[in-house]
Each structure stands twice: as structure tokens, then as C-alpha cells.
Amino acid sequence: MTLRVRLNGRDLLLDVDPQRRLLDVLRDELRLTGSKEGCGEGECGACTVLLDGEPVCSCLVPAGQVDGSEIMTVEGLGDGELLSAVQDALVRFGGTQCGICTPGIAVCATAALRREPDASAERLRELLAGNLCRCTGYQLVIDALCAAARPAAGPSGEGAP
Amino acid sequence: MTTPWIRPATLDEALAVREEHADWRVLAGGTDLMVDAGRRPAPAGVIDLFGLPGLVGVEPMRDGSLRIGAATTYSMLLASDDVRRHLPLLAAVAREVGAWQIQARGTLGGNVGTCSPVGDTLPALLALDAEVELVSRKGVRLVAFDDFCTGYRTTDLRPGELIAALRFGRRALFASEGARHAWRKVGTRRAQSVSKVMLAAVAVLDDERRITCARLGLGAVRERPVRARAAEDLLVGERADAALAQRASEALTHDIAPIDDVRSTAAYRRDVAARLVRRFVLSLA
């Protein structure tokens, strides 16, 4: 099956089995290995990509369903070596440890802040509830996202207006 | 070899494919079927209904009912003013399904088609007297969800049929001034966890706070989502108090049959289900 997609801003034609998981197409065919496979069952969010602007678990999306769609992976967030505001904040605040969950968090958070730029820390926790971290927890992630949303708010975004 | 894969452009085309290929898998958002896709034999073919225009959307009908297309996602339910206003119980359920990634893909019709005992929306469909709208090339068939679900992950879906929509004919009653509802999903974590026990409850009170109508839909306490009819029956005509709450919770034993499994124990489920019902009835006092 030939699929027409717009991936990280580039138009592509892909010839793949429609049953293959989008995650496998991204990693194995296109060598975009930023998206990780954590659970492979839609529970952990490590494989999150944006499909037409909405975060989805790429392990649960068969390739046949992305024909005609726009896909954004973690590789598409920054501009070359320049990190996006969300990525930069995750680095500065230490919102990452082993790194497996980080791409999915960066992608989902990007969608969250696009949709709700004024989201409270509590609302961000709800929007990011599908991204599990097993290293350290979520406080530094949420601090980073609050800072990315409100650059002037300082290091502790929790409880900021 | 690649799998035959059809994304119909219209419902008519989908029904033609469905009739011609009875063994093809009907796919919506993939949040159930893709989970173990790699461990099962590949289907002979796939009919991909995700986003099919005739199956998406929330529509108030002339007869006063609300019709929700089977391929409507949880995110769409949450964004719908009609759902929030007329089916607040369903809106509450949609908000607690999985997390954003699952809500963006999972569909109401998919939940009904899988008909798992832990399907999140199914207790609410029982509590709201929802009907399943089934279409085939022969026409439309309406079946109460309670009858459509026939057992452990089995349904009354017939050859050539697709689940087209869910219809909520009693939304006016269930969203009336005297109506109360509750949604409780008990699991290990608020998001992304499969439930140990679920309760979706509706009650309608008259001016004297007498219960005129009660629906208790429970999930994960039996091989299928189930209404606690014995408890419902003893609520109707009564005013809620602690004694009534206790009796209702004890009557659950007539309708539920929880088991021990990887997620919980029968004893825990029995105890928690009883508590959820007791608290709901107390909230009506």
C-alpha cells in the first residue's frame, strides 16, 4: 500500500504493509529512532507522535490509517540543532533521567501547550497522564513545562497563575 | 504479502465490503485491536472505519434523542457541548478513558464492539438505557445495549452488520432537574489503568426526593458489564437514607459475580462495588 504523508514538514510517499505499526515504520523504515517502544500496548506513551496535531501512541496506529495525514515526531520539534522551548526547558530543569519517556513527553507537551497555552500545572498533569516515567517522577517535568509556557515565571512554575 | 486494507469513503461502501468479506476485521481507532495484533494471526483483510464521515459526530435527533456516531472518539465526546449538556455522565466517563493519546483514537463504537467486561463506557451505556444502531444493506436494527452484549466479549452483531451509532432516547429524563448521576472508576492509578470496579449510576428524584427511576451499571464485576437490577428495583419509590443504601448494596449479590484475576480479587471487588452503590444512594438523601 502506498501512503502519502507529511512527516516533520516533508512530503513523503511510503510503500508499506498497512498492518505495520506506525512506530515500526518510523523506526525501522525511516530510521527515526527518537520515538521509543516502552510497553507496545498504549499504556506508557513513550512512542507518542502527533497525528494531525493530536498525540497518539504510534504503537497502536496501523500504517494504513495515516495515509493523507500529517505526522510530527520528536525529531521534528526542534530546528536542526536548535531545541524547541519545551525540549530546552526539559533539559534545563532536569526533566529527564534515563530518557526513554522523554521523547513522548516532549511531543505530548508540545501538543498540550499548543492547545492550552495557559494550562495550569494541574491541567498539564492531566494532559500528560498518558506518559509514564519510571525513573524519577513528574515534578521536574511539570516545572519544565510551566517554564516553557511562561518563560518569565521562574523555576517553580507549580501554582503559577 | 500485504494485508488487503479498505478505507471506505461512505457508509454504503463500508456495508458492501462488510457483506462481501464477512471474515475481515472491522477496525476503528485501534486502541483495542492493535494491542495484541502482533500475537494474533493476521486478519484476512481490514475494513478501516476510523474517521468515516457517516459514523462520526453527535447529533440531536428530532425525536429528542441524542445520536452519537460509532466512530466518534472520546476527544470528540469531550469537545461536544451536546454531550456535556445532555449526557454529563458520558462526558465524565470519556474524560477518564486512558489518557489523551487513547482518547484521541478510541471510539464509542469500538468500546461497544469489543464489549469487554472492563470497557469503560459500557456501564454508562447501561445506566443511560443506550440503544445500539446496527446497519446492514438490509436496513437498520435498534437493540438495547443490555441485550446487544451477550456475554464475555460477545455481542449480537450479525453478519453484514456494522455498529453505526449509539442512541440515547431518554436523555431528557436523565438530564432533567431531578436527575443525579455518578461515575466512579476504581483502579491502581487515575489514568491509564484498567479498572478493578466501575459504577455508572443515574437516579431521578421527584419533588419530594422520592426515587422514581434508578440505573446502576457496573463493570469488572462479572463476565460482562451488568445492571444491578435487584438493587435498582428496591430503590424505586423510596427516599434515600442510610438503611436504603445498605439494603441496595447488599442486593448487589443478585447481579454481580466478581472473580480473582491479575488486577484484583473477588472479595475486593465485591466490597468496593457495595461501597460505591452505598455512597451513591447516600448522595441522594
Side-chain angles (χ1 to χ4, degrees), chain B residues 226-239:
Chain B
V226 67
R227 265 176 67 179
R229 286 180 189 270
E232 291 175 1
D233 287 347
L234 70 80
L235 292 177
V236 173
E238 304 288 331
R239 275 199 199 89

Side-chain angles (χ1 to χ4, degrees), chain B:
Chain B
M1 194 196 85
T2 75
T3 317
W5 190 283
I6 293 184
R7 290 175 99 184
T10 64
L11 185 56
D12 282 345
E13 190 191 334
L15 291 173
V17 180
R18 171 83 174 132
E19 188 170 277
E20 194 181 340
H21 301 285
D23 58 338
W24 283 22
R25 187 169 295 161
V26 179
L27 179 72
T31 54
D32 274 329
L33 294 182
M34 289 297 288
V35 169
D36 58 357
R39 298 191 290 269
R40 285 188 299 171
V46 172
I47 312 173
D48 175 10
L49 301 180
F50 192 80
L52 183 67
L55 294 184
V56 173
V58 180
E59 197 184 350
M61 306 293 279
R62 237 177 244 172
D63 64 5
S65 67
L66 202 67
R67 180 182 184 275
I68 302 181
T72 305
T73 64
Y74 301 113
S75 291
M76 292 171 187
L77 293 180
L78 284 172
S80 162
D81 288 337
D82 283 319
V83 172
R84 282 204 302 264
R85 192 174 328 133
H86 302 302
L87 300 172
L89 177 63
L90 191 63
V93 174
R95 189 167 176 179
E96 292 196 353
V97 174
W100 190 1
Q101 289 93 327
I102 301 301
Q103 291 164 8
R105 298 297 290 181
T107 65
L108 189 57
N111 215 222
V112 170
T114 298
C115 216
S116 158
V118 290
D120 278 329
T121 67
L122 308 182
L125 299 185
L126 291 174
L128 295 168
D129 285 355
E131 289 179 299
V132 187
E133 181 188 315
L134 302 152
V135 288
S136 69
R137 295 182 93 182
K138 293 190 207 103
V140 176
R141 189 164 72 95
L142 277 180
V143 184
F145 171 70
D146 202 6
D147 298 325
F148 182 69
C149 171
T150 54
Y152 178 74
R153 290 176 169 262
T154 56
T155 68
D156 179 33
L157 188 72
R158 296 178 186 167
E161 280 185 339
L162 292 171
I163 300 168
L166 274 298
R167 291 212 203 173
F168 299 86
R170 306 189 74 189
R171 66 151 170 105
L173 175 66
F174 292 150
S176 63
E177 192 153 332
R180 303 282 182 274
H181 73 263
W183 165 243
R184 287 300 311 277
K185 173 174 167 171
V186 179
T188 45
R189 187 175 184 269
R190 182 106 182 257
Q192 290 294 69
S193 69
V194 178
S195 306
K196 299 171 194 273
V197 181
M198 290 176 277
L199 171 70
V202 178
V204 183
L205 307 182
D206 67 13
D207 292 342
E208 295 167 338
R209 301 189 76 77
R210 217 175 286 277
I211 300 166
T212 59
C213 174
R215 294 285 183 276
L216 303 170
L218 287 141
V221 291
R222 216 183 133 152
E223 80 284 1
R224 52 160 290 174
V226 67
R227 265 176 67 179
R229 286 180 189 270
E232 291 175 1
D233 287 347
L234 70 80
L235 292 177
V236 173
E238 304 288 331
R239 275 199 199 89
D241 60 19
L244 186 70
Q246 183 62 28
R247 276 165 56 215
S249 69
E250 286 166 7
L252 281 183
T253 51
H254 293 285
D255 294 293
I256 71 173
I259 57 165
D260 293 334
D261 68 9
V262 291
R263 283 187 282 275
S264 190
T265 63
Y268 178 86
R269 288 179 160 122
R270 209 173 287 119
D271 195 34
V272 171
R275 268 165 210 259
L276 296 181
V277 166
R278 201 154 60 224
R279 283 185 194 167
F280 175 64
V281 176
L282 281 174
S283 78
L284 306 174

Side-chain angles (χ1 to χ4, degrees), chain A residues 41-100:
Chain A
E41 299 188 347
E43 298 258 351
C44 77
C47 66
T48 301
V49 303
L50 301 188
L51 185 57
D52 294 323
E54 287 236 70
V56 301
C57 294
S58 60
C59 73
L60 294 183
V61 178
Q65 290 193 324
V66 304
D67 186 33
S69 293
E70 189 167 340
I71 300 163
M72 171 84 79
T73 69
V74 68
E75 288 88 350
L77 296 185
D79 182 7
E81 294 293 299
L82 195 65
L83 296 179
S84 73
V86 165
Q87 290 172 307
D88 182 61
L90 285 169
V91 172
R92 285 189 295 117
F93 282 75
T96 181
Q97 191 166 323
C98 86
I100 289 283

